[in-house]
């Protein structure tokens, strides 16, 4: 990208710096789950890994996931082991994934370990969902109690203030 005349130099510099400095976002766990489950199923049935990855890339819902899966497939076609292809994208995947795939390659049980990774990811997704739902209730209670407190301070306290002011004025007039 060459700085065009319509871009200010500071804006161009900032956007170029962000491209190199900001880390890429991690892939969603559901996408990694679909990928590992699909790979486990296809390797169990004897489909070559590069072809299996291309099928998974075609089924990917997000362009970023498709790009990562196609990159892994291309690495395999270039002769790079699956674990090294995953390790090259370690910032995008769960941290334990490249090491487990390396162990699977060494043991010769890739389909079994991919299936186990899939069940582990399912548990992780369920745990995150449960934690989110468990934390929503306390958040709701805090917001509701804050709203009630604000309403009391805004409407009820001034009404009682006026009522007590009337009582005081009646006391002073009766004396």
């Amino acid at each position: 990208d060459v700085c065009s005349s319509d871009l200010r130099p500071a804006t161009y510099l900032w956007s170029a710096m962000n491209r190199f400095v900001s880390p890429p976002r991690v892939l969603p766990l559901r996408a990694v789950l679909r990928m590992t489950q699909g790979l486990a199923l296809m390797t169990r049935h004897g489909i070559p890994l590069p072809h299996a990855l291309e099928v998974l890339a075609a089924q990917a819902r997000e362009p970023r996931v498709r790009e990562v899966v196609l990159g892994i497939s291309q690495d395999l076609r270039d002769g790079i082991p699956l674990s090294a292809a995953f390790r090259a994208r370690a910032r995008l995947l769960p941290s334990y994934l490249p090491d487990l795939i390396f162990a699977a390659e060494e043991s010769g049980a890739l389909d079994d370990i991919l299936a186990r990774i899939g069940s582990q990811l399912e548990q992780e997704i369920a745990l995150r969902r449960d934690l989110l739902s468990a934390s929503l209730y306390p958040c709701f209670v805090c917001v509701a109690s804050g709203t009630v407190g604000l309403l009391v301070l805004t409407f009820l306290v001034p009404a009682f203030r006026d009522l007590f002011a009337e009582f005081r004025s009646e006391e002073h007039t009766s004396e």
Side-chain angles (χ1 to χ4, degrees):
D1 240 284
V2 177
C3 183
S4 62
S5 60
D6 61 321
L7 287 176
R8 294 185 317 220
T11 306
Y12 173 76
L13 180 63
W14 182 255
S15 65
M17 186 176 69
N18 277 338
R19 269 184 270 153
F20 293 110
V21 173
S22 62
R25 289 186 15 220
V26 175
L27 294 180
L29 278 182
R30 290 199 187 278
V32 177
L33 172 65
R34 283 190 295 271
M35 180 176 61
T36 55
Q37 286 177 334
L39 273 177
L41 181 67
M42 289 188 241
T43 55
R44 185 170 289 133
H45 292 290
I47 297 174
L49 282 173
H51 182 68
L53 286 164
E54 288 171 2
V55 169
L56 291 172
Q59 295 173 353
R61 297 176 184 164
E62 295 182 28
R64 196 166 46 101
V65 174
R66 187 176 305 118
E67 178 183 323
V68 168
V69 173
L70 284 175
I72 293 171
S73 174
Q74 185 58 47
D75 285 353
L76 289 176
R77 290 190 189 281
D78 292 342
I80 297 173
L82 183 63
S83 59
F86 272 79
R87 188 162 281 116
R89 292 156 183 85
R91 297 178 83 189
L92 303 172
L93 302 165
S95 60
Y96 53 84
L97 200 57
D99 293 329
L100 286 175
I101 290 179
F102 177 76
E105 287 175 334
E106 293 295 314
S107 69
L110 185 62
D111 57 342
D112 290 334
I113 292 185
L114 284 171
R116 288 182 187 177
I117 291 170
S119 64
Q120 174 69 29
L121 287 170
E122 284 176 336
Q123 290 175 359
E124 190 174 340
I125 290 169
L127 178 65
R128 286 183 181 195
R129 184 185 60 240
D130 292 346
L131 286 174
L132 178 66
S133 65
S135 64
L136 285 179
Y137 180 73
C139 290
F140 172 75
V141 169
C142 287
V143 168
S145 63
T147 303
V148 168
L150 185 63
L151 289 174
V152 165
L153 288 174
T154 304
F155 296 108
L156 210 56
V157 170
F160 277 111
R161 184 188 62 205
D162 295 340
L163 184 67
F164 287 132
E166 285 180 26
F167 282 142
R168 284 193 180 175
S169 64
E170 287 178 7
E171 284 180 5
H172 290 298
T173 56
S174 65
E175 289 181 1

